[in-house]
Amino acid sequence: MKARQRMMISYLEQHTFLSVNKLAELLEISLPTVRRDLQEMETDGYVQRVNGGAFLINKRDNPPEQAQRSDPFEAHKKAIAAEAVKWIQPGDTLFIDSGSTNSCLADFLTELKGITIVTNSIDIAYKCMRRPGLSVFVCGGTNEEVRAEAGIVGPLAEQLIMQFRASLCILGTSGLDLKQGITDPFLSAASIKDKMLTYSSKRILVTDHSKFGKIHKAFVAPIESFDCIITDWEADIGDIAHIRSQGTNVIQAAPGQGQPPS
């Protein structure tokens, strides 16, 4: 491997994802040179290229023990994802933030065509970029200040989001409270969600019933900011009735949904 390519890997280890333009600036080389190097590194299995840049491939065969633990709400999240995908139409530009429910949603995008995905999730980007007919833009930035599930955050990530005007935004959440609204444990992740809401025409919240009644330190948005909330069959009937009375549509996914197309 060339010394220049080793430097690229070093920068990518620090930032997770970098654009072609940023790599050219950091290494003081031309854009064609960056593209050639990335192509070679992708062939050798070091990086994965996406629209406008690249990120490192995680070569670990076995994820950490914590990541292997079963999710007690996995069936709920898959059912919610099966409902959410019904809102996506050919030609849509979609904001989708990082999170386990949206990761399930990415599995349902296999048969869609002509969709542009803008995400701050490396996991979602990796799933979507292998699907024919999907155009994928993944935010640059950092994940050093937050948990991995919060995705890529920071000013660079927000700048990319602000360049798009999405027809649909699908966000997950760690907390939904009838009085305090939608909240997140991290200010930087909340800021990403806020930008996605601001620059989208239609807004959907996907959340399983375990997130109801939880409040975190970082405010994201009022519940009424969303056109629709998609949750599962175990969500509290009283909570759903209250949300609907405030003008926000609520859809409850049914048990047994959630098998993505092969």
Side-chain angles (χ1 to χ4, degrees), residues 223-224 226-228 240-250:
I223 292 175
E224 56 267 26
F226 293 88
D227 300 288
C228 180
I240 290 175
H242 178 83
I243 293 170
R244 286 173 174 163
S245 72
Q246 302 301 306
T248 299
N249 184 25
V250 181

Side-chain angles (χ1 to χ4, degrees), residues 35-176:
R35 294 190 181 99
R36 284 195 299 270
D37 280 349
L38 290 178
Q39 185 174 8
E40 291 178 11
M41 294 163 70
E42 183 178 47
T43 300
D44 293 337
Y46 291 103
V47 303
Q48 179 66 59
R49 291 184 299 163
V50 294
N51 287 13
F55 57 84
L56 284 178
I57 290 177
N58 184 355
K59 291 191 173 183
R60 293 175 296 178
D61 293 328
N62 298 311
E65 180 182 349
Q66 184 176 2
Q68 295 184 35
R69 295 174 185 168
S70 60
D71 183 347
F73 306 111
E74 182 178 3
H76 302 76
K77 293 173 182 179
K78 288 182 177 180
I80 291 167
E83 282 292 337
V85 76
K86 297 176 183 178
W87 289 71
I88 304 173
Q89 301 296 322
D92 274 347
T93 295
L94 172 65
F95 286 150
I96 178 169
D97 76 326
S98 183
S100 55
T101 304
N102 275 341
S103 181
C104 290
L105 174 61
D107 293 328
F108 284 85
L109 300 178
T110 54
E111 296 184 349
L112 298 181
K113 303 293 183 182
I115 305 298
T116 298
I117 308 292
V118 183
T119 183
N120 70 321
S121 166
I122 295 297
D123 173 57
I124 292 171
Y126 184 70
K127 289 181 178 181
C128 292
M129 69 190 177
R130 295 178 294 170
R131 314 299 192 193
L134 297 180
S135 178
V136 180
F137 293 84
V138 59
C139 295
T142 181
N143 66 352
E144 294 178 353
E145 299 176 351
V146 298
R147 295 193 308 258
E149 58 263 35
I152 303 301
V153 296
L156 289 175
E158 294 177 17
Q159 286 174 21
L160 177 69
I161 292 166
M162 293 166 64
Q163 299 304 309
F164 289 87
R165 298 298 181 267
S167 47
L168 180 63
C169 171
I170 302 180
L171 297 184
T173 186
S174 300
L176 183 159

